[in-house]
Amino acid sequence: GAGVSQSPSNKVTEKGKDVELRCDPISGHTALYWYRQSLGQGLEFLIYFQGNSAPDKSGLPSDRFSAERTGGSVSTLTIQRTQQEDSAVYLCASSQRDSYQQYFGPGTRLTVL
Amino acid sequence: DQQVKQNSPSLSVQEGRISILNCDYTNSMFDYFLWYKKYPAEGPTFLISISSIKDKNEDGRFTVFLNKSAKHLSLHIVPSQPGDSAVYFCAASAYSGGGADGLTFGKGTHLIIQP
């Protein structure tokens, strides 16, 4: 079956612009996660959605970052007023409820000039 | 503070030999541990996991060992094959009751299998 998909695969933007990154989780997975991987670093947890519950936003680095999940499926991560330090690969993952195993998409490489 | 540490950024192993990747953690609330493998330009793929109630889990060539008292786990790959060359991430999770929390990852170890 189809895995987690993300779009765009690459995004280059200018400092100060807003960007939107999209994630389509595996059908039937109720949990959705966003991570980012900066150069030379591990994956950093950003935000977690479980079904229709309020998201866990504890990993968001600043109030310029926000995410929503419509209809319990597709999710959009929005970064406002991008900064150069936002440059990273943004990864989305999904999992079945109560499962620790997360399935990752290929990521979106964001470059802020 | 880094709650999951992989202290070896890279590891080179000869084909056919055993690869041992190490991981240490500091948060005693972690109750589940996973290893992910990542190729360039791809997302991480799940490899093997272990619950904190076990000390060993084996799947084919891959075995994960957990030492809770030392807060240490290791991934053994034997025999190592060229296709095993990738970055390996150790990850840990704590179940919060509403579902598994976001995973906490180490920085990864780049495994290079030499022919």
Side-chain angles (χ1 to χ4, degrees), chain A residues 34 44-49 54-62, chain B residues 101-102:
Chain A
W34 283 97
E44 174 191 3
F45 166 72
L46 297 178
I47 189 169
Y48 157 52
F49 295 88
D56 174 1
K57 303 179 182 180
S58 59
L60 293 179
S62 79
Chain B
D101 286 347

Side-chain angles (χ1 to χ4, degrees), chain A residues 33-36 44-46 89-91 102 104, chain B residues 102-103 105:
Chain A
Y33 307 80
W34 283 97
Y35 297 85
R36 74 175 174 182
E44 174 191 3
F45 166 72
L46 297 178
V89 176
Y90 288 82
L91 291 152
Q102 298 177 18
F104 283 83
Chain B
L103 296 173
F105 283 83

Side-chain angles (χ1 to χ4, degrees), chain B residues 8 14 36 51 57-58 72 90 92 105 108 110:
Chain B
S8 298
Q14 204 165 10
Y36 280 82
S51 163
N57 188 27
E58 191 172 353
H72 176 84
C90 173
F105 283 83
H110 185 193

Side-chain angles (χ1 to χ4, degrees), chain B residues 6 11-22 35-39 47-48 57-65 74-89 109-113:
Chain B
Q6 294 177 258
L11 175 67
S12 184
V13 175
Q14 204 165 10
E15 182 179 357
R17 299 286 184 99
I18 183 171
S19 296
I20 300 176
L21 295 92
N22 293 303
W35 284 93
Y36 280 82
K37 177 178 177 180
K38 187 179 185 302
Y39 293 116
L47 196 56
I48 192 169
N57 188 27
E58 191 172 353
D59 183 2
R61 297 186 297 115
F62 303 92
T63 303
V64 55
F65 296 92
S74 61
L75 173 68
H76 293 212
I77 306 172
V78 56
S80 300
Q81 298 175 354
D84 296 330
S85 295
V87 177
Y88 289 78
F89 289 98
T109 296
H110 185 193
L111 177 65
I112 303 162
I113 305 302

Side-chain angles (χ1 to χ4, degrees), chain A residues 6 12 41 89:
Chain A
Q6 292 185 245
V12 180
Q41 302 297 313
V89 176

